[in-house]
Structure formats: structure tokens, C-alpha cells
């Protein structure tokens, strides 16, 4: 019996969508990494400018006020203003771009895990039932062979058997028939359960791959 999960179209679509979603996650993570480096550079540059502005201001304290010292004082204030702008830009990038993206990715990851767990549970039920069907089929085939062998034995040797021997074999054949009927019914029920389980699994896959939570909004809108 072939693995029921292999050729299922829903399973293929779901796997493709998961790969698509993972690519979206990777893209967002790379973008946030770049933005974080940019924010770090802005903040680091702001700190450097601030230190230089303070250093320049201290140097001007021991200098007589004239047009030259006034110009350098203006340069110091200009560096402080630039430092403040770069500091604000770095913080803005962190608060308005990096933090929201991390929150979305974290939320999407939790939701996808929930969907994946649901799919995995239903898939495991399909596989378990599939294994049960294989065992039941092998058992049924073995019992069928034994039953047929017993039947042929009775048919081929009924002329040479005593009535007692014949009755003994007939009783054995009756028990074999009853056993065969039970195993055949068991195999049938497992097949019906397998059909029902597979439908539930496919329904779960369909529901999950249609669920917008599987793909981040940023990724779905980008495509």
C-alpha cells in the first residue's frame, strides 16, 4: 500500500505555502537585520558627534570670546543638533520599523505553529490508520490462505476420511470461516476509518493553507 500522504494535492500545496511563508520570514528577518545595523550606526554616530560637541565646548570655555570662538561655538551647537537628529532617527527606526516587524513575525510564528500542530496531528492519524490497514490486510491474506488450504484438504481427501475425521475438519473449517469473516470485517472497518481520517486530514490542510495567518501580511502584500 502506498503512503497516503505522498501524492495528496492538498499536502503539496500546504508544503509549498509553508516554504513560501518561510521565505517571507527570512526576507523580513534580513530586512530587520539591515535596519538594526542602520539604527546602530545612527545612534553610534550621534554619540560620536555629541562627544565631539562637548569636547569642543570645553575647549571654548578657556578661550576669549571673539568672532572665531563664536563660529566654533556655532559649530559645536550644530554638531549637538545633528547628534540629536541622528539619535532620534536611530530610535525611530527601532520603534517604528524593527519592533513592529519583530512583533508581527513572532505572532505569525506562534499562529503557524498552531496550524502545523493541527496538520501534524491529523497526518499522524492517517499514517497510524494506514499502518493498521497494512497489518489487517496481511493478517487477512494469511488467514485466507490457511482457510483455502483447509478447504482444499477437505475436498481432496473427503473420500478417504472417516465421518469423525471429516466432522472434525468441518468444525475446524467453520471456525476458520468465522475467523475470516471477523478479520474481513475488521479490515473493512479500518479502510472506512482510513477514508474518514483522510478526509479530515485533507479538510484540515485545506483550512490551514487558506488561513491568512500562515503568511505574514508584509509577505502577502509584497507579492
Amino acid at each position: 500500500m502506498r503512503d497516503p500522504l505522498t501524492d495528496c494535492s492538498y499536502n503539496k500545496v500546504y508544503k509549498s505555502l509553508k516554504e513560501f511563508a518561510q521565505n517571507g520570514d527570512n526576507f523580513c528577518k534580513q530586512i530587520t537585520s539591515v535596519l538594526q545595523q542602520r539604527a546602530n550606526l545612527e545612534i553610534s554616530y550621534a554619540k560620536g558627534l555629541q562627544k565631539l560637541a562637548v569636547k569642543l565646548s570645553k575647549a571654548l570655555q578657556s578661550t576669549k570670546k571673539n568672532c572665531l570662538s563664536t563660529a566654533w561655538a556655532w559649530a559645536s551647537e550644530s554638531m549637538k543638533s545633528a547628534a540629536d537628529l541622528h539619535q532620534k532617527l536611530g530610535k525611530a527606526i527601532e520603534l517604528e520599523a524593527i519592533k513592529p516587524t519583530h512583533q508581527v513575525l513572532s505572532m505569525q510564528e506562534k499562529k503557524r505553529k498552531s496550524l502545523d500542530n493541527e496538520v501534524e496531528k491529523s497526518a499522524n492519524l492517517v499514517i497510524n490508520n494506514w499502518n493498521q490497514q497494512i497489518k489487517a490486510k496481511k493478517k487477512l491474506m494469511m488467514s485466507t490462505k490457511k482457510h483455502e488450504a483447509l478447504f482444499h484438504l477437505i475436498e481432496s481427501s473427503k473420500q478417504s476420511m472417516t465421518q469423525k475425521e471429516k466432522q472434525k475438519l468441518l468444525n475446524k473449517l467453520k471456525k476458520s470461516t468465522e475467523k475470516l469473516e471477523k478479520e474481513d470485517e475488521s479490515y473493512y472497518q479500518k479502510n472506512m476509518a482510513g477514508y474518514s481520517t483522510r478526509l479530515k486530514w485533507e479538510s484540515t490542510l485545506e483550512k490551514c493553507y487558506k488561513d491568512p495567518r500562515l503568511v505574514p501580511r508584509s509577505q502577502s502584500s509584497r507579492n
Side-chain angles (χ1 to χ4, degrees), residues 41 44 75-76 88 90-91 117 125 136 153 166 186 193 210 216:
L41 284 174
S44 177
S76 176
K88 288 179 178 178
K91 293 297 182 182
N117 288 336
L125 289 175
L153 175 63
K166 184 177 180 182
S186 175
K210 287 181 178 180

Side-chain angles (χ1 to χ4, degrees), residues 96-132:
E96 298 178 23
I98 298 172
K99 186 178 179 180
T101 303
H102 277 312
Q103 289 175 340
V104 170
L105 288 175
S106 178
M107 180 178 64
Q108 291 295 139
E109 185 178 2
K110 289 179 180 178
K111 290 176 179 178
R112 281 201 301 274
K113 280 184 178 179
S114 176
L115 294 175
D116 284 339
N117 288 336
E118 191 176 348
V119 170
E120 187 176 355
K121 285 179 181 178
S122 59
N124 287 336
L125 289 175
V126 173
I127 292 297
N128 288 337
N129 177 268
W130 180 65
N131 290 328
Q132 289 176 13

